[in-house]
Amino acid sequence: MTTSNETTQKLPLTKRPAWKALENHYQNIHETSMRTLFAEDPHRGERFVADGAGVHLDYSKNRITDETVQMLVRLAVECGLRENIDAMFSGKKINITENRAVLHTALRIPRTGRLLVDGKDVVSEVHAVLDRMGTFSDKVRAGQWRGFTDKPIRNIVNIGIGGSDLGPVMAYEALKHYSQRNLTFRFVSNVDGTDFEEAARDLNPEETLFIVSSKTFTTLETMTNARTARSWTLNALHDEKAIARHFVAVSTNGAEVTKFGIDTENMFGFWDWVGGRYSMDSAIGLSTMIAIGQDNFRAMLAGFHSMDEHFRTAPFDKNLPVLMGLLTIWYNNFFGAQTTAVLPYDQYLKRFPAYLQQLTMESNGKYVTVDGKRVDYETSPIFWGEPGTNGQHSFYQMIHQGTKLIPCDFIGFCKPLNRYPHHHQLLMANMIAQAEALAFGWTAEQVKAEGSPDWLVPHRTFEGNRPSNTILCDELTPHILGALVALYEHSVFTQGTIWNIDSFDQWGVELGKVLAKRIIPELENSAASPLGHDSSTNALVTHYLRVKKE
Ligand code: G6Q
């Protein structure tokens, strides 16, 4: 029997009853100010909050009412979010263009759990790899993993790009407080030789371990950097046997790893159901585990898992990732907001916005639905941001007084990890004040009352009504980092479900790679002619070759 929701799900997104209702609702509400909303409901700040996995979300400073939340939740229901969550967690092949399951959530199921995929229990496989990673990282941390000349390893260089780099760098920076400080960590990603050169220039090859992280083990940038690292090592150690002591691989491609010369004994595997940008909690996190130790790494996985469970089980109107995903839809699709700013008030989270850029935009920056049709609505906003308070002294001007609506996510912690509590109070006071200023502004009357001359009043007035979420956690622990990353992963999933797109493929990065392959020989061989591109591309290649020759 077909249910009414199944019938609704067959309608195009913009024809669904909840979408239509939200369009009407937007007309009624978009001129209402948050000043009014707060004045009408003195408990608003205590009501529009949600908690899960140790994360507290205050979403009261949004341009919403109870009705808005109800309608957004209805939209989620009409778009089959419940069914899609179940499909993802149970291992259905929801990455339809690559015919793959999407099971990063299986990477953090506790050891006692079980999940069958194609008849195999993936949980035991996951934990077997984690155990091997644990043994290896313990050895490195204890100085027992020795280099070819018997010196202990002191430097760990992760070579990877995209999903095999951004997660490891972000997690290393975020959890530096917990890291073993006598080890040096570097991350090389760019094919620009400067990246390798600067990362390696002060390192002793005898004490350096390279982790070549690549799901496919064929990525141009990573393999170029890995080969350079190999020569750099051999130039110093003069023996092929040194490679086994100084190189390990994280990959799903054993054949290519062997071809490169790394013994598969020293390879840590994962599975095709882990997407690159969802892989920091797989073996791709080996550098993280070496930095913070296996217990902390497992605590991070537990944090991921508790947010997974919250997402899977909490009612949508109390569900942090669902609420955040739906609020993104509200501003992106009804208010026409083009971007979202992510503003962590914690120096350790300085790479979090960059990490989220890939997670959000590579997942949902798509104009084709799962059925191959062009969308007639906006998909992913642009995510960007910098840690507070630095941003306050640069781009916040535009968030406060610019012509664009920029919803913000503030992220802060009640307890600092440094020894300067006074700094922390200033930091947190600034974060809380920014959200307040954005929501309520500063009226012309208030400016006048401060004694401003009339001509200056418009410049000093803040109209307010600028939305933000405030995410407040107790302390930046490995557990909380896992929960925060999972929060955004599932918010992205919620959005992708509403937009009916495949959030797990990334065809948009392919064309550039293909065209670069054509241009590489042209730049290597100055005699190449005639060039077969458009006139601009031909001229750029010619210009480059001429200057190079000079
Ligand atoms: C992420 C993408 C992409 C990928 C890199 C590196 O979701 O798939 O960023 O992680 O292209 O790929 P390899 O790990 O295969 O080198």
Side-chain angles (χ1 to χ4, degrees), residues 164-213:
S164 301
D165 168 69
L166 286 159
V169 185
M170 183 279 286
Y172 171 66
E173 291 296 339
L175 300 176
K176 205 179 235 174
H177 175 77
Y178 305 89
S179 69
Q180 185 166 312
R181 301 293 181 143
N182 66 350
L183 296 175
T184 296
F185 289 83
R186 300 273 161 84
F187 298 85
V188 176
S189 54
N190 199 335
V191 76
D192 182 342
T194 301
D195 205 9
F196 182 84
E197 176 141 304
E198 287 297 334
R201 64 181 305 127
D202 58 345
L203 302 184
N204 178 354
E206 293 174 272
E207 299 174 338
T208 302
L209 173 77
F210 290 97
I211 303 176
V212 185
S213 297

Side-chain angles (χ1 to χ4, degrees), residues 161-164 213-217 219 222 275-277 358 362 506 513:
I161 195 164
S164 301
S213 297
S214 175
K215 183 172 168 181
T216 54
F217 230 73
T219 305
T222 301
R277 56 194 173 276
Q358 183 191 26
E362 198 169 52
Q506 55 282 315
K513 290 189 200 167

Side-chain angles (χ1 to χ4, degrees), residues 409-428:
D409 287 352
F410 291 100
I411 305 173
F413 300 89
C414 299
K415 297 181 204 161
L417 291 174
N418 57 57
R419 286 163 295 160
Y420 307 103
H422 175 58
H423 284 245
H424 196 67
Q425 266 164 39
L426 299 178
L427 178 71
M428 284 299 101

Side-chain angles (χ1 to χ4, degrees), residues 17 31 66 119 150 196 202 276-278 313 340 344 356 379 381 426 428 447 461 463-464 511 516:
E31 279 174 0
D66 291 302
D150 208 35
F196 182 84
D202 58 345
R277 56 194 173 276
Y278 296 88
T313 58
T340 299
L356 286 187
T379 61
L426 299 178
M428 284 299 101
V447 178
T461 300
E463 63 187 24
L511 179 60

Side-chain angles (χ1 to χ4, degrees), residues 4-258:
S4 69
N5 202 39
E6 278 168 20
T7 314
T8 305
Q9 281 177 27
K10 293 210 176 90
L11 291 171
L13 175 59
T14 54
K15 300 276 179 301
R16 294 199 181 129
W19 187 276
K20 291 273 170 211
L22 281 161
E23 276 176 344
N24 289 334
H25 179 63
Y26 167 77
Q27 293 305 333
N28 298 334
I29 200 183
H30 76 281
E31 279 174 0
T32 308
S33 77
M34 279 192 252
R35 278 179 178 260
T36 308
L37 295 174
F38 272 83
E40 284 172 355
D41 174 5
H43 297 291
R44 185 180 166 91
E46 293 137 44
R47 288 198 313 110
F48 285 87
V49 295
D51 287 272
V55 178
H56 174 73
L57 169 69
D58 173 348
Y59 63 102
S60 62
K61 295 193 189 81
N62 279 294
R63 293 165 71 169
I64 55 168
T65 60
D66 291 302
E67 211 186 346
T68 324
V69 177
Q70 281 161 18
M71 287 182 187
L72 286 167
V73 165
R74 209 170 97 208
L75 180 69
V77 173
E78 284 182 7
C79 293
L81 181 61
R82 169 53 51 215
E83 294 84 338
N84 222 16
I85 291 174
D86 293 344
M88 175 170 75
F89 277 86
S90 63
K92 297 243 164 65
K93 295 193 172 167
I94 61 167
N95 176 357
I96 53 135
T97 70
E98 296 180 311
N99 192 30
R100 285 177 182 163
V102 172
L103 270 176
H104 43 278
T105 51
L107 296 168
R108 44 256 195 167
I109 297 177
R111 200 185 285 279
T112 47
R114 213 170 126 78
L115 179 71
L116 293 182
V117 174
D118 297 332
K120 265 202 224 149
D121 176 31
V122 294
V123 179
S124 53
E125 290 186 22
V126 164
H127 282 273
V129 175
L130 280 171
D131 290 342
R132 282 188 61 227
M133 287 166 65
T135 308
F136 178 74
S137 54
D138 282 353
K139 272 193 191 153
V140 176
R141 287 163 65 83
Q144 289 162 1
W145 184 273
R146 304 230 158 214
F148 187 61
T149 57
D150 208 35
K151 290 201 168 144
I153 292 298
R154 288 182 198 286
N155 315 310
I156 290 92
V157 182
N158 185 73
I159 298 180
I161 195 164
S164 301
D165 168 69
L166 286 159
V169 185
M170 183 279 286
Y172 171 66
E173 291 296 339
L175 300 176
K176 205 179 235 174
H177 175 77
Y178 305 89
S179 69
Q180 185 166 312
R181 301 293 181 143
N182 66 350
L183 296 175
T184 296
F185 289 83
R186 300 273 161 84
F187 298 85
V188 176
S189 54
N190 199 335
V191 76
D192 182 342
T194 301
D195 205 9
F196 182 84
E197 176 141 304
E198 287 297 334
R201 64 181 305 127
D202 58 345
L203 302 184
N204 178 354
E206 293 174 272
E207 299 174 338
T208 302
L209 173 77
F210 290 97
I211 303 176
V212 185
S213 297
S214 175
K215 183 172 168 181
T216 54
F217 230 73
T218 54
T219 305
L220 172 91
E221 291 88 342
T222 301
M223 297 328 294
T224 305
N225 279 318
R227 280 190 287 269
T228 300
R230 199 173 192 282
S231 316
W232 181 85
T233 306
L234 290 177
N235 278 346
L237 303 178
H238 312 290
D239 193 328
E240 283 283 336
K241 287 197 220 79
I243 299 303
R245 308 301 308 160
H246 293 271
F247 281 77
V248 297
V250 178
S251 187
T252 55
N253 190 344
E256 285 296 325
V257 169
T258 310

